[in-house]
Amino acid sequence: MKGPFIKDILKMNPDNKEISVCGWIRTKRDSKSFSFIELNDGSCMSNLQIIIDSSVKGYNEFINKLTTGSSVKIDGKLVKSPAKEQNVELHAENVTLYGEADPEKYVLQKKRHTFEYLRTIAHLRPRTNTFSAIARVRSAMSFYIHRFFQEKGFVYVHTPIITSSDCEGAGAMFQVTTLPLENIPKTNGKINFEEDFFGKKSSLTVSGQLEGETYACALGNIYTFGPTFRAEHSNTTRHLAEFWMIEPEMTFCDINGNMDAAEEFLKYIFKNLLENCREDMDFFNTRIDNTIIANLESIINEEFVRLKYTEAIKELEKSKVAFEFPVKWGIDLQSEHEKYLTEQVFKKPVILTDYPKEIKAFYMKLNEDDKTVRAMDVLVPRLGEIIGGSEREDNEQKLVKRIKQMNLNPEDYWWYLELRRYGSVPHSGFGLGFERLIQFVTGMQNIRDVIPFPRAFKSIDF
RNA sequence: UCCUCUGUAGCUCAGUCGGUAGAGCGGGUGGCUGUUAACCACUAGGUCGGCGGUUCGAGUCCGUCCGGAGGAGCCA
């Protein structure tokens, strides 16, 4: 597709310039002697208004075929529009119809559709305002994420999608196998994985963190940004079986440096989003959730609160709110607790640290009190946890002890432990789910609507 | 996996006490207007998710299966 694109045309000086524009017709309004067309090419939310006078060659043949959804090329003159709704419009001189869209059958007519229905036509939904805006915001956010890390000298590491470790413990895994399922080779009743493709039981990754740490412990600062798979039978507005995750890992960096990085990171990408995707963000703010822009602006401008878990528990115990889940030191915080802290107590993002070791992963660095670990969760108003991270345990003996405590086998982690044996360094990192981030900035309620082709439990229609 | 709700026209929904179905939007036709959520008139669309049962009679009641949504758990 060649330009100029409608995004740029709308900013051009309307000086009778001859241009050509391609796109899909969103709607048409006929008069006796001319027609108005709203043309969209995906470059932006706005349409370009086209006027086709009935004197244009072939008018009577093509005009009834220029229906919603049909694709055209229009050559014409860009002029100033006399009406208020737009600055410029295109006076067509030549019309080329590429593809018709039978209005009796094409379901995306100009009318509202529920997101639920649009999920059943995932191949057509990017042609709607909402889903094209989501696609642009997703793309832009990916770019800002890369740019943030690249500007800071982080190395982008491609961690494997297929892994042999069934030991990551972050969730149910999808097994990868070429064994014949109708006749699985077994020895003494147990599956013989030596005959499988990799010679070992293999799965799709649930996290690139452990592999990421190996590269961080050589290159300094790294990040991953790739697909992640969880085979959990979750059926919620916040879970996917296939989603994208960002996981930076920083060496010579403690929990405080980790918090600094997470805060700077969020502020950077949100600021870029508001500055560069204003039209799409205004749309979300108007049509989806009218708090998102104010919310993002306050996150950009406010300093995040930093609070230890123990302090947060005290704060919650002090409150008069009747929580569904009672508060007590040692519990994992429920989303009602997180929301209370971010929305009622502080009214801004809160970074909670130093959680009880029992409710956190084995690789998090143990504090001197032997009870808490250097975990950090970044909580934001409305969503709750947006980032989870920690300083990693860098002492081999302590790490082995924690692995055993969690009933895991240290032998499975031999290479991960060697990072602590040879040139171990304090290091930290965090992870964030990309789709939840997109949900947060767009206000979209269902995670299946912020990824082009959602994969979820019992759901893979496209 | 559990709990709740839901399935009627292309889409969004209404349908009373069980008596063979309606609206809005969208589509078609005609009219009108520098229109822009266009407007006005007319018009065509339905195996009421599938199967079984109760009944003289089921969109409506019962059973079951399938699909969808929301919540819980788990998590990102």
Side-chain angles (χ1 to χ4, degrees):
Chain A
M1 188 167 174
K2 280 170 81 175
F5 301 113
I6 288 173
K7 178 186 178 181
D8 303 314
I9 292 170
L10 292 173
K11 291 183 204 145
M12 284 179 183
N13 193 20
D15 54 0
N16 290 323
K17 193 189 328 247
E18 293 274 354
I19 60 168
S20 297
V21 57
C22 297
W24 293 268
I25 292 175
R26 280 291 174 82
T27 165
K28 180 181 63 164
R29 295 177 291 274
D30 291 317
S31 268
K32 197 167 240 169
S33 58
F34 57 91
S35 298
F36 292 101
I37 279 174
E38 298 286 334
L39 194 72
N40 188 280
D41 68 355
S43 64
C44 62
M45 173 82 52
S46 299
N47 303 318
L48 176 63
Q49 175 162 286
I50 315 245
I51 293 91
I52 309 179
D53 195 85
S54 58
S55 63
V56 171
K57 194 173 130 235
Y59 182 87
N60 290 327
E61 284 81 66
F62 66 62
I63 197 63
N64 287 327
K65 295 177 182 168
L66 301 187
T67 58
T68 299
S70 58
S71 52
V72 291
K73 178 179 156 200
I74 312 279
D75 311 293
K77 279 198 175 89
L78 193 69
V79 303
K80 184 165 172 52
S81 177
K84 266 196 269 194
E85 308 286 323
Q86 61 276 321
N87 290 322
V88 301
E89 60 188 31
L90 187 65
H91 281 210
E93 290 170 347
N94 190 48
V95 174
T96 310
L97 174 63
Y98 285 105
E100 298 178 34
D102 183 349
E104 297 220 27
K105 293 179 183 145
Y106 185 62
V107 293
L108 277 188
Q109 293 298 331
K110 191 171 95 171
K111 63 187 166 179
R112 290 237 192 182
H113 284 108
T114 57
F115 294 139
E116 183 185 336
Y117 173 66
L118 291 170
R119 262 167 239 154
T120 69
I121 49 168
H123 59 307
L124 297 175
R125 66 178 185 170
R127 301 185 187 193
T128 65
N129 285 338
T130 303
F131 286 88
S132 62
I134 290 165
R136 285 186 296 267
V137 165
R138 232 186 117 94
S139 168
M141 286 293 274
S142 303
F143 174 60
Y144 306 143
I145 287 165
H146 278 295
R147 191 165 68 185
F148 174 82
F149 289 121
Q150 295 287 336
E151 280 176 358
K152 295 197 156 297
F154 283 57
V155 174
Y156 178 31
V157 175
H158 298 100
T159 51
I161 288 170
I162 302 175
T163 78
S164 64
S165 40
D166 58 352
C167 54
E168 298 188 38
M173 301 178 89
F174 285 102
Q175 200 173 329
V176 174
T177 182
T178 55
L179 291 175
L181 295 179
E182 62 284 354
N183 182 24
I184 296 170
K186 290 186 177 172
T187 322
N188 301 327
K190 291 184 89 176
I191 297 171
N192 189 355
F193 283 106
E194 281 177 19
E195 290 188 30
D196 203 351
F197 186 90
F198 296 107
K200 262 189 183 185
K201 189 175 179 182
S202 319
S203 307
L204 297 179
T205 182
V206 293
S207 165
Q209 183 197 315
L210 303 193
E211 290 91 345
E213 283 186 46
T214 67
Y215 269 67
C217 290
L219 293 152
N221 295 334
I222 65 97
Y223 70 106
T224 72
F225 187 173
T228 308
F229 308 88
R230 303 274 168 95
E232 238 100 49
H233 293 187
S234 301
N235 197 2
T236 79
T237 54
R238 307 177 307 285
H239 288 85
L240 290 167
E242 176 183 293
F243 63 98
W244 289 65
M245 194 153 66
I246 298 111
E247 295 176 293
E249 193 71 34
M250 298 158 285
T251 50
F252 304 100
C253 176
D254 65 9
I255 186 75
N256 294 308
N258 204 13
M259 286 191 275
D260 293 342
E263 181 167 349
E264 192 184 349
F265 168 74
L266 288 180
K267 287 178 171 172
Y268 178 94
I269 57 175
F270 291 161
K271 188 159 183 279
N272 274 268
L273 179 69
L274 290 183
E275 281 172 3
N276 299 303
C277 298
R278 198 66 203 198
E279 189 187 23
D280 290 327
M281 290 307 293
D282 283 340
F283 173 85
F284 291 122
N285 203 60
T286 310
R287 304 292 282 271
I288 307 292
D289 180 340
N290 61 17
T291 67
I292 52 175
I293 287 185
N295 198 200
L296 291 173
E297 279 170 349
S298 84
I299 290 175
I300 292 166
N301 296 319
E302 302 265 9
E303 199 165 306
F304 293 8
V305 174
R306 299 184 182 191
L307 197 68
K308 288 190 187 332
Y309 169 89
T310 304
E311 302 301 317
I313 291 291
K314 281 183 193 159
E315 197 65 53
L316 290 166
E317 283 175 333
K318 229 165 59 184
S319 98
K320 304 239 169 7
V321 180
F323 293 114
E324 191 187 335
F325 294 88
V327 176
K328 187 177 125 204
W329 199 95
I331 62 154
D332 207 355
L333 296 186
Q334 300 291 324
S335 77
E336 58 172 345
H337 305 134
E338 297 176 347
K339 284 188 172 184
Y340 176 78
L341 292 171
T342 55
E343 293 170 12
Q344 306 297 321
V345 182
F346 298 107
K347 297 185 168 49
K348 55 171 152 173
V350 177
I351 310 182
L352 287 186
T353 58
D354 302 283
Y355 283 77
K357 65 180 178 185
E358 286 79 14
I359 58 172
K360 288 294 180 183
F362 71 88
Y363 51 73
M364 297 188 179
K365 186 176 176 68
L366 196 61
N367 278 315
E368 287 72 29
D369 63 11
D370 205 37
K371 287 195 296 201
T372 59
V373 290
R374 290 190 194 172
M376 68 157 203
D377 283 359
V378 182
L379 313 179
V380 290
R382 199 163 54 83
L383 182 80
E385 182 188 331
I386 194 168
I387 282 180
S390 68
E391 183 174 341
R392 319 306 189 189
E393 182 56 74
D394 53 8
N395 178 289
E396 188 183 1
Q397 275 69 46
K398 287 183 183 173
L399 186 54
V400 169
K401 197 175 154 196
R402 289 283 291 138
I403 288 173
K404 286 179 179 164
Q405 275 176 1
M406 302 296 236
N407 286 322
L408 299 168
N409 184 359
E411 282 175 24
D412 291 335
Y413 298 88
W414 68 272
W415 53 264
Y416 189 67
L417 288 164
E418 281 203 358
L419 298 179
R420 280 75 182 163
R421 190 176 308 163
Y422 309 118
S424 187
V425 291
H427 62 290
S428 302
F430 60 84
L432 93 156
F434 186 56
E435 282 73 21
R436 289 197 183 167
L437 180 71
I438 302 301
Q439 270 189 286
F440 182 67
V441 300
T442 59
M444 294 297 290
Q445 297 283 312
N446 195 314
I447 200 167
R448 298 177 194 204
D449 294 333
V450 297
I451 189 166
F453 298 100
R455 276 84 182 86
F457 184 55
K458 300 280 187 203
S459 172
I460 184 162
D461 285 340
F462 287 86

